[in-house]
Amino acid sequence: MAELIAKAALDGQGPVTRAGLVLSVLPPAPVWSIAPFPGEDLTPALAALGLDFPAPGRSNRAGDLRLIWTGRDQAFLLGGRPPEGLAAAVTDQSGAWAGFSLSGIGGEAALARLVTPDLRLAAFPVGHVVRTGLNHIPAIILREGETEFHIRVFRSMARSAWAELVEVLEHLAARAAAVQGGASAPARTG
Amino acid sequence: MRLTCPLCGPRDRREFTYYGAEEYLHRPGPDAAPDLSQGGAWDNYLHLRDNPAGPTRDLWYHDQGCAAWLLVSRNTLTHDITGVELVAARKGARDEA
Ligand SMILES: [Zn+2]
């Protein structure tokens, strides 16, 4: 078999810093889809790893492993291989997804320009996950920390998603610069 | 317009794709006559629809969310959404699909 070169999505793309936010590409890491067969309970098998099958919109972690809800009767295991023999449809999707980190104060305000669900901390605490559209791009968004989001999109849409996010950061930076520079609002009459 | 997905919570209508009437859950059985003659089970299943002024039920797909099929009850006169349930959670769902 030919020697294939593993290349990250947006290979060589450095972080972009604007408006106090840092957008960067997550390093390639294992992504496995786990969809339990109907009526099967994975609790004992996952408990051996310190994990639990997540409720909708939730995730849990154990060491480097993280199990995030991604759809009806489906979760993604991040950071490692699932055990053999799970009573589930298990597929390696590592090469199919691109991940970004958006960190800094006000990440939710940036995402609010692209995403309809409320991602503020009170409504979307650390460890919660949402599957929604990033503008028109299907995305899985995880609140990694109080000031960090992880955004995953189909790898084929990585460049578009990156462009959408960078554009939002540029708009926020332009607005901040305008406010700081004392640009006055249009004069009001009446 | 918003639909409250049983899994994802309230979401914008743009996250969903409309499929069609609830009738699509009631596919004719294997004993139904395999022709499309007028008024037959397959003709009804594929083509004949009511056009209710009032409560109606139809299928939506949450494609930008959890990828679940939903049965939505709504009112065509008031635009009220009165219920959203998972097709997969319905009794005998696996026979309906
Ligand atoms: Zn949903």
Side-chain angles (χ1 to χ4, degrees):
Chain A
M1 171 151 173
E3 278 293 304
L4 301 177
I5 302 162
K7 234 174 127 181
L10 302 187
D11 203 34
Q13 172 68 59
V16 168
T17 303
R18 298 265 195 292
L21 295 166
V22 182
L23 178 67
S24 60
V25 181
L26 292 173
V31 178
W32 289 76
S33 169
I34 299 175
F37 294 137
E40 294 288 349
D41 181 11
L42 303 189
T43 305
L46 292 173
L49 302 172
L51 296 169
D52 191 17
F53 198 84
R58 301 293 195 271
S59 71
N60 54 82
R61 67 191 312 169
D64 293 337
L65 292 178
R66 179 158 220 166
L67 195 57
I68 66 170
W69 179 88
T70 55
R72 185 176 74 80
D73 294 341
Q74 185 194 67
F76 280 3
L77 182 68
L78 308 175
R81 273 185 91 94
E84 297 290 328
L86 282 182
V90 176
T91 54
D92 180 3
Q93 301 200 5
S94 306
W97 294 84
F100 307 138
S101 160
L102 180 66
S103 62
I105 306 286
E108 44 279 269
L111 288 172
R113 292 181 171 228
L114 298 170
V115 168
T116 52
D118 185 355
L119 299 187
R120 290 174 297 177
L121 189 60
F124 191 63
V126 175
H128 279 217
V129 62
V130 68
R131 207 177 133 179
T132 185
L134 184 86
N135 205 347
H136 291 279
I137 301 167
I140 298 165
I141 301 174
L142 169 72
R143 187 184 273 274
E144 174 71 15
E146 289 201 1
T147 57
E148 184 173 10
F149 294 93
H150 282 181
I151 301 152
R152 288 183 170 80
V153 297
F154 300 143
R155 181 175 170 138
S156 61
M157 300 183 186
R159 196 164 295 280
S160 300
W162 181 266
E164 295 274 7
L165 288 161
V166 169
E167 188 182 3
V168 162
L169 298 191
E170 282 173 352
H171 285 181
L172 290 175
R175 167 173 287 223
V179 168
Q180 232 163 34
S184 53
R188 289 190 188 176
T189 55
Chain B
M1 174 176 163
R2 285 183 197 169
L3 295 177
T4 300
C5 172
L7 298 178
C8 304
R11 293 298 181 91
D12 188 86
R13 172 245 170 283
R14 287 168 292 180
E15 292 199 0
F16 302 88
T17 301
Y18 177 77
Y19 184 73
E22 182 192 11
E23 270 94 325
Y24 283 115
L25 291 180
H26 309 302
R27 187 186 171 95
D31 51 336
D35 68 73
L36 291 175
S37 55
Q38 203 173 355
W42 278 100
D43 184 44
N44 184 45
Y45 172 72
L46 290 171
H47 303 302
L48 302 186
R49 294 291 177 264
D50 295 329
N51 184 18
T56 186
R57 278 147 68 90
D58 36 34
L59 300 175
W60 295 71
Y61 183 56
H62 197 182
D63 56 324
Q64 286 282 46
C66 61
W69 281 101
L70 305 174
L71 179 59
V72 175
S73 303
R74 61 193 179 92
N75 189 309
T76 58
L77 291 178
T78 62
H79 302 301
D80 284 343
I81 309 285
T82 51
V84 183
E85 57 183 301
L86 288 174
V87 169
R90 287 160 53 80
K91 195 164 175 286
R94 291 185 64 76
D95 303 323
E96 284 178 345

